[in-house]
Amino acid sequence: METYKKIRLETDELLFSFDLKRNRSCEILDSWLNVSGLITKEHQDFLEKLRQLQLEEGDFWNEEELKMNFLAHIFYVAQLNEKDKIKLFYERPLAGIIGEYKINVKCDALIATPKGIGTPRKPYFFLQEFKKQKGQENDAEGQMLAAMLLAQLENDNNLPIYGSYLQGSTWRFTTLHGKNYCVSQSYDANQKEDLEKLILILRKLKVLILSQIEQ
């Protein structure tokens, strides 16, 4: 009977165990984040209300409150869903075996091609959030990276996997392609310019995912 090792879902542990290089810039990530476009006045006004709410209350939100009060609205404005092709899922488990390691992770949010209506089938993007609470430690980047590795194995198509991890109002975007793992600069959702850029980055993500689906 074959046995597998458990692995801590911590960034350094995953980088070491799977021989990954963590880079600050790479062509795939830079191309994704190089965005331009217009956001309607209606959406600008809505985003400003969200920004003000996060400024006033965000420091006191737990992870679920961050998700319900802020993230869900960000994804709505980004308009990511595409019928039968792209759907956003929350709190979905992902498990698999990579080499000698058995990995289990719960994804705070993921974008995938749906199987039927309510089941993710082929994942493209993962988001993990972290709100520090007393007595609790949580490596959001490590959990996100573990999910990306599982998706890379499952998809088996040599195409990039996309990700993002949050710490409070700070976002970082990531890509994984082969052994090349890249992490962006930080974006502060408390800043108007950064918040609007987050929307454009997520909208471009939809274009990139649709391009993968068509390949």
Side-chain angles (χ1 to χ4, degrees):
M1 182 176 176
E2 200 164 5
T3 58
Y4 297 96
K5 296 180 180 179
K6 290 185 177 180
I7 187 169
R8 296 190 307 275
L9 302 187
E10 298 172 357
T11 306
D12 280 346
E13 185 77 9
L14 294 165
L15 293 174
F16 176 79
S17 298
F18 297 108
D19 191 28
L20 301 175
K21 296 189 181 298
R22 187 182 190 272
N23 299 308
R24 299 298 299 176
S25 177
C26 66
E27 184 177 349
I28 292 172
L29 178 64
D30 295 345
S31 176
W32 174 22
L33 302 183
N34 182 18
V35 294
S36 62
L38 298 175
I39 296 176
T40 66
K41 180 65 163 55
E42 179 184 6
H43 281 161
Q44 285 180 341
D45 291 345
F46 181 63
L47 288 171
E48 180 59 18
K49 289 179 181 178
L50 283 180
R51 190 177 75 86
Q52 291 297 333
L53 179 65
Q54 179 164 262
L55 279 169
E56 292 171 11
E57 301 183 9
D59 289 344
F60 303 96
W61 288 340
N62 60 32
E63 290 185 2
E64 287 304 306
E65 289 164 344
L66 173 62
K67 193 176 300 175
M68 297 300 293
N69 292 323
F70 193 79
L71 288 180
H73 300 297
I74 293 297
F75 286 131
Y76 175 77
V77 174
Q79 301 172 323
L80 290 167
N81 286 357
E82 184 80 12
K83 185 174 174 58
D84 299 326
K85 293 182 179 180
I86 302 174
K87 188 169 182 177
L88 176 65
F89 298 88
Y90 291 98
E91 294 295 316
R92 296 298 179 125
L94 198 63
I97 295 167
I98 304 178
E100 59 185 343
Y101 297 102
K102 187 173 185 178
I103 298 176
N104 293 276
V105 63
K106 180 174 281 188
C107 308
D108 289 338
L110 68 96
I111 295 172
T113 297
K115 179 171 66 177
I117 297 174
T119 305
R121 180 174 63 86
K122 192 171 184 179
Y124 303 95
F125 169 84
F126 298 91
L127 179 145
Q128 295 294 134
E129 57 179 292
F130 171 53
K131 288 287 291 181
K132 188 172 178 59
Q133 298 177 45
K134 187 175 180 181
Q136 182 184 52
E137 293 295 330
N138 183 346
D139 185 342
E141 183 182 0
Q143 292 187 40
M144 176 212 63
L145 180 55
M148 294 173 79
L149 286 163
L150 289 170
Q152 186 180 66
L153 178 71
E154 182 176 331
N155 292 354
D156 191 27
N157 56 12
N158 197 35
L159 294 173
I161 303 295
Y162 301 93
S164 181
Y165 63 95
L166 281 62
Q167 292 183 298
S169 67
T170 301
W171 294 54
R172 291 183 186 272
F173 293 96
T174 67
T175 56
L176 177 66
H177 189 220
K179 297 285 188 181
N180 191 18
Y181 170 59
C182 295
V183 181
S184 77
Q185 66 179 41
S186 63
Y187 296 84
D188 185 356
N190 283 335
Q191 302 299 317
K192 183 177 185 294
E193 184 177 337
D194 279 9
L195 180 56
E196 292 186 359
K197 189 163 186 178
L198 293 177
I199 298 298
L200 296 177
I201 289 170
L202 291 171
R203 288 180 179 174
K204 187 168 181 180
L205 173 66
K206 180 176 180 177
V207 174
L208 294 171
I209 292 173
L210 287 172
S211 176
Q212 284 198 19
I213 292 172
E214 292 167 1
Q215 291 189 35

